[in-house]
Amino acid sequence: MATQSERSLAAETPTQETFPEPLSPREARPSTSTGPIRAPLSPSGRSLRSGTPGTPRPGSTAGSTRRKAATLGADQLTRPGTSAGVSLPAVKSRNAAQTIAVMETGDLLAGEDKLENKRRFSFAEDSLDQVATAIREEKPELDWLQDCWKKVLVGTPASECKTLLMRSLHTWVEVYNRWQALGGWVPGQAPTYLDAYEFQEAVGVPMMKALEWVKLFDPGAHAKLQQTRAAAEYRKVKVSMPSFFTAAVFLSSSISKRQKIRFLLGVFDENDSRTFEVSEFTAMIASFFHGIACAFNLQSSLPKDARRQNLYKQLFERIVESAKTRSTSEEVHSMLSQGSVQFPAIEDWFLGLSGDPLSAPFALFLERFSVRGLDDDPEVFEDEERKFRLSHSAPVNPPMETAASLDSSFLRRSQMKVVRDLFYHCSSTRHFAISHAEAEQVVRTSIEPEFWIKMLSRSLEDLEAMRQDGVKFNIGVFFKKLCPRATSRHLRMFQTWLKELEQLEGLGASVEETQRLLDSFQYTLSRPVLPAAIRQELMADYGNAEMREMAARKMSILDTFDEGVMMSKDDFIFAICPKEYRPKVGNPIVEKVVRQFLTMELARLEELHSQKKMLFVGQAQSSRRPPLKSFLKQEVPESTWTLWNQAFDLLDVDGKDLLTMKKLVSSNQVPLDVCRFLRKAIVDDTVGEEGGFSKAAFLRKMVEICGFRCRAFS
């Protein structure tokens, strides 16, 4: 049975006007005229209009003749293949001259269009041309709405959208609650289309502001309303609320990327199952494209919904296939085989984490209208049941939000380390009444006088009074003293910042550890092999049980050997080999892959550390722009894929498709500390109590840290 959202999308949409199509934020300029906006021309193009000399088109042998086409009569032009004195018929002179000028200008604009496609986005490492090439390689016949995406990724939203750009998620949750209340909180009963009165009441703004948004989402009705101002015309307005939410939420830079996607998915999840089947997905994605088309004035250029149905279905199939390669859960695979996808898989696809080139335009759109380079997920440490989600049966509580949604009276993430260190120092010394200078000595950095006077000093004095009165308190009380207006969701946000700070410090330690391991492994590879004479000398102690036990203790792996089984000679030499030698000649395939693993894991951790560190940088230090991201991933080359498989098989000596700690160490191919690191870094939930990781888990980890797209696992 069709849901309310599906039925609404089958209904006839309001008539749309044709709007000028903007180019890019730098090139598009506000127009004071009522005529269409023209794309800016290159110097050559401007010379065509003015008749001034310009550079002839490459390959043209008659540049000056073409430049004069806009101002000179055709009787002064020569026909190709004739002498210069032969004139064209005067009767066609004006039309011919205009035609040539238009053709030449069109050629120049087409050239600029190609350059625009090849030019890298200002917010990402990729270009539209690269995205198009990657999609064509995957789906050469698919119409993925390239022209529409170009205008969305480089164009400017309609001026009426400006007031949407900084509205918080809290605002849109309140609007959503009022919208669902119109349907009595019965799933599927909230009206998809609202008239002007209903819309103004739902969005909670003055009618004049509401009508600005009506102009985008029902321009035909808005035009009639402006002419008559009759109450009946207000009732004839039809604003699609799902489409409006798409534009409002996705254009806001104060909402996290994941929360944007969760909001959109929740609007169409009428049974609150947090899963989608193909019918729900196609209804959602159709509303998505309608919403951004309205926001960017693209309604007339967007193909009819019937033509887009094939694209929608193929996108859903791509999400299903991506989820299969990225998940090891049998339950998830069972759901996918039945055509049902859980929301986390759809979220990852929209964010471009799957590497599917068809997801790149969506990921680029999210990147463009988010705080550049900062993946601020306010719910990263929240329990799954407490994370933001919409409901169709009960009002939604205000969610945790990004730091960008807070005003100046609240704490800033960059201040959290000072707050934490001060509180724990004062708690340990049982003395909170400290001076500004003492506080700076405690935190080993300068504290802004304004921050000290307006927030810290007063709050520390209050805590000192509470301590003297025998009142117990924790850092949450300190947060409330610092920000009296903070609600429970704000306090949870501050607690999240504390955990992020701990994570940042942990990442720093992980970077140092991985760098040490990589240096140590490379040093191991550079050492000479243990000479035969020294090996024979060491083997003289092999028969001594105490020496074998000492060797096992040195390796700290007594539990990796079966009780009663004597340590092998190779294991014994591996354990007591002098540091200036290697126990034996290693396998070059294993060594190459292990070195690649350590190198790429170090690069991944450094990038994560850098990204997390940027979140804690204050405004005074935030002049450095974060590095741009690429949302296109190459599929793992066949040679690399083969190399990874060979390395695993060489270590998996019994062919059980499982590498345990015991098997890794017994291979005598990898240093003990690197074995521990591999075991810790590669998480495999499918392995039981024995521990270790499967080949599939190993390959997935290699794909992740090397930035490739996953291949199908055989």
Side-chain angles (χ1 to χ4, degrees):
M1 182 175 179
T3 64
Q4 174 69 18
S5 301
E6 295 172 59
R7 291 193 297 270
S8 69
L9 286 164
E12 181 180 354
T13 57
T15 304
Q16 307 293 349
E17 291 181 349
T18 300
F19 284 82
E21 299 167 358
L23 268 179
S24 68
R26 292 181 181 177
E27 293 176 334
R29 294 289 184 270
S31 175
T32 56
S33 67
T34 57
I37 299 174
R38 297 182 182 271
L41 299 177
S42 65
S44 300
R46 287 192 292 270
S47 71
L48 283 169
R49 282 191 181 173
S50 63
T52 56
T55 304
R57 187 177 56 175
S60 171
T61 58
S64 60
T65 302
R66 287 185 179 273
R67 286 195 300 274
K68 294 179 181 178
T71 56
L72 300 181
D75 57 324
Q76 295 173 280
L77 298 174
T78 59
R79 192 188 302 276
T82 65
S83 63
V86 180
S87 301
L88 296 176
V91 68
K92 296 182 180 179
S93 61
R94 180 170 299 176
N95 289 339
Q98 291 174 349
T99 301
I100 294 172
V102 170
M103 290 176 63
E104 176 66 9
T105 304
D107 288 342
L108 288 166
L109 291 177
E112 285 195 356
D113 197 51
K114 290 180 181 178
L115 288 174
E116 183 73 39
N117 291 346
K118 293 182 179 180
R119 191 178 301 141
R120 194 180 70 183
F121 294 117
S122 62
F123 53 88
E125 279 285 352
D126 312 304
S127 69
L128 186 66
D129 206 46
Q130 290 173 326
V131 174
T133 299
I135 293 176
R136 280 197 302 270
E137 290 176 352
E138 293 280 327
K139 293 288 184 179
E141 305 299 327
L142 182 65
D143 178 8
W144 57 280
L145 308 181
Q146 179 174 351
D147 290 341
C148 172
W149 277 118
K150 176 184 177 181
K151 293 162 187 171
V152 169
L153 296 177
V154 303
T156 306
S159 58
E160 291 81 4
C161 291
K162 288 181 180 179
T163 53
L164 300 175
L165 298 182
M166 287 303 295
R167 291 182 182 255
S168 67
L169 182 61
H170 187 184
T171 298
W172 300 121
V173 167
E174 290 181 337
V175 174
Y176 174 84
N177 285 339
R178 289 194 287 268
W179 174 50
Q180 286 296 315
L182 295 176
W185 290 101
V186 177
Q189 294 304 305
T192 301
Y193 291 101
L194 301 186
D195 64 32
Y197 295 117
E198 294 169 330
F199 179 69
Q200 185 268 333
E201 185 176 350
V203 295
V205 298
M207 180 59 81
M208 290 298 294
K209 177 61 65 179
L211 290 181
E212 289 183 13
W213 298 338
V214 168
K215 181 180 178 181
L216 289 176
F217 291 87
D218 192 356
H222 179 270
K224 293 180 181 178
L225 189 153
Q226 293 298 307
Q227 292 174 355
T228 66
R229 295 289 182 177
E233 297 299 335
Y234 283 79
R235 295 293 184 190
K236 292 179 182 179
V237 166
K238 288 185 178 180
V239 175
S240 168
M241 288 303 290
S243 299
F244 174 75
F245 280 131
T246 295
V249 172
F250 272 70
L251 290 179
S252 173
S253 60
S254 66
I255 303 176
S256 77
K257 295 178 183 178
R258 282 199 180 272
Q259 288 179 327
K260 290 180 180 183
I261 302 168
R262 289 169 189 160
F263 194 108
L264 177 63
L265 299 180
V267 169
F268 288 86
D269 184 27
E270 293 183 347
N271 58 3
D272 295 340
S273 66
R274 302 195 76 239
T275 60
F276 264 2
E277 296 181 358
V278 65
S279 58
E280 295 168 303
F281 178 83
T282 53
M284 179 272 292
I285 208 71
S287 178
F288 171 87
F289 277 111
H290 181 241
I292 62 174
C294 292
F296 285 82
N297 290 327
L298 304 176
Q299 301 95 316
S300 61
S301 60
L302 198 65
K304 296 295 184 182
D305 188 62
R307 285 182 55 193
R308 290 179 267 138
Q309 286 299 314
N310 178 53
L311 171 63
Y312 302 158
K313 292 177 181 178
Q314 293 214 34
L315 292 180
F316 185 76
E317 291 172 3
R318 305 283 292 193
I319 294 173
V320 171
E321 292 305 312
S322 170
K324 286 180 180 178
T325 61
R326 289 167 58 83
S327 174
T328 58
S329 168
E330 292 184 3
E331 180 183 356
V332 170
H333 277 260
S334 176
M335 292 181 63
L336 292 170
S337 64
Q338 298 173 25
S340 183
V341 184
Q342 293 178 320
F343 279 5
I346 302 177
E347 291 173 20
D348 287 352
W349 188 88
F350 264 88
L351 291 168
L353 301 182
S354 68
D356 183 357
L358 283 165
S359 72
F362 297 90
L364 287 164
F365 181 44
L366 284 165
E367 181 72 7
R368 183 187 178 191
F369 290 97
S370 299
V371 177
R372 199 63 44 78
L374 300 183
D375 289 330
D376 185 0
D377 184 357
E379 300 177 308
V380 64
F381 295 109
E382 285 282 90
D383 295 333
E384 192 61 36
E385 59 272 13
R386 295 192 70 177
K387 289 185 178 180
F388 167 64
R389 56 184 294 185
L390 295 181
S391 171
H392 289 259
S393 57
V396 181
N397 293 323
M400 287 179 64
E401 299 191 62
T402 63
S405 65
L406 301 178
D407 62 36
S408 59
S409 66
F410 285 88
L411 275 174
R412 288 286 173 256
R413 195 191 257 107
S414 58
Q415 300 166 334
M416 186 53 64
K417 188 176 187 304
V418 168
V419 170
R420 183 199 64 177
D421 292 353
L422 270 180
F423 179 81
Y424 289 132
H425 170 81
C426 293
S427 294
S428 64
T429 60
R430 299 183 60 80
H431 178 65
F432 288 84
I434 62 176
S435 67
H436 186 194
E438 290 172 326
E440 289 185 328
Q441 289 180 345
V442 168
V443 299
R444 298 179 181 179
T445 188
S446 61
I447 300 175
E448 296 177 357
E450 184 178 6
F451 180 39
W452 174 260
I453 294 170
K454 290 186 176 180
M455 301 183 78
L456 285 174
S457 177
R458 171 182 49 80
S459 300
L460 288 170
E461 289 173 0
D462 289 347
L463 292 184
E464 177 63 17
M466 293 174 65
R467 186 194 66 79
Q468 292 178 5
D469 291 341
V471 179
K472 294 183 178 180
F473 51 84
N474 55 26
I475 196 169
V477 175
F478 191 27
F479 290 152
K480 187 65 176 177
K481 292 290 184 181
L482 291 166
C483 305
R485 293 174 49 219
T487 63
S488 60
R489 63 191 175 92
H490 294 124
L491 298 178
R492 280 176 26 229
M493 180 188 295
F494 300 153
Q495 292 288 352
T496 295
W497 291 355
L498 273 182
K499 293 178 181 178
E500 285 182 319
L501 184 58
E502 293 173 1
Q503 184 187 49
L504 172 64
E505 294 166 343
L507 281 170
S510 296
V511 167
E512 293 178 1
E513 177 194 6
T514 309
Q515 182 68 68
R516 179 187 61 79
L517 280 174
L518 177 59
D519 293 342
S520 174
F521 185 70
Q522 290 177 330
Y523 171 67
T524 298
L525 298 184
S526 68
R527 290 181 294 178
V529 176
L530 182 69
I534 299 179
R535 179 184 178 90
Q536 187 175 0
E537 183 180 340
L538 293 174
M539 284 303 300
D541 293 327
Y542 177 69
N544 187 325
E546 291 184 0
M547 287 296 296
R548 290 198 304 272
E549 184 178 348
M550 182 185 70
R553 280 201 305 270
K554 183 178 179 181
M555 297 174 69
S556 304
I557 54 165
L558 282 170
D559 58 336
T560 67
F561 293 97
D562 297 331
E563 188 175 352
V565 177
M566 189 168 65
M567 176 181 283
S568 70
K569 293 180 180 180
D570 285 341
D571 290 334
F572 182 76
I573 292 296
F574 188 77
I576 66 172
C577 179
K579 291 184 178 180
E580 61 267 26
Y581 297 108
R582 300 176 63 184
K584 66 177 184 179
V585 177
N587 186 288
I589 292 178
V590 172
E591 292 173 351
K592 183 176 182 179
V593 171
V594 171
R595 181 166 51 195
Q596 182 187 29
F597 182 94
L598 293 173
T599 301
M600 299 310 297
E601 178 69 357
L602 175 61
R604 186 186 72 87
L605 290 171
E606 286 176 335
E607 182 179 0
L608 285 175
H609 181 259
S610 176
Q611 290 175 354
K612 188 65 68 175
K613 191 174 182 180
M614 288 293 295
L615 291 173
F616 287 88
V617 172
Q619 291 184 353
Q621 298 90 20
S622 62
S623 57
R624 186 173 66 87
R625 295 174 62 86
L628 299 177
K629 301 178 184 178
S630 173
F631 294 91
L632 294 174
K633 295 182 180 180
Q634 177 190 358
E635 192 175 61
V636 184
E638 185 66 40
S639 58
T640 302
W641 188 254
T642 300
L643 187 72
W644 293 348
N645 278 272
Q646 288 175 341
F648 186 93
D649 293 339
L650 287 167
L651 296 171
D652 184 26
V653 291
D654 58 7
K656 291 184 177 180
D657 192 34
L658 179 68
L659 284 182
T660 61
M661 184 66 180
K662 175 182 176 181
K663 197 183 294 187
L664 278 170
V665 174
S666 298
S667 71
N668 296 324
Q669 297 277 355
V670 185
L672 177 61
D673 51 358
V674 177
C675 290
R676 291 197 184 103
F677 184 81
L678 290 171
R679 175 64 189 90
K680 180 181 178 182
I682 305 175
V683 178
D684 190 350
D685 296 332
T686 64
V687 177
E689 295 180 358
E690 189 177 4
F693 50 88
S694 65
K695 179 187 284 190
F698 168 72
L699 293 173
R700 284 192 181 91
K701 182 66 176 180
M702 293 300 295
V703 167
E704 175 195 349
I705 64 177
C706 293
F708 287 120
R709 289 171 51 200
C710 225
R711 282 176 173 263
F713 295 98
S714 56

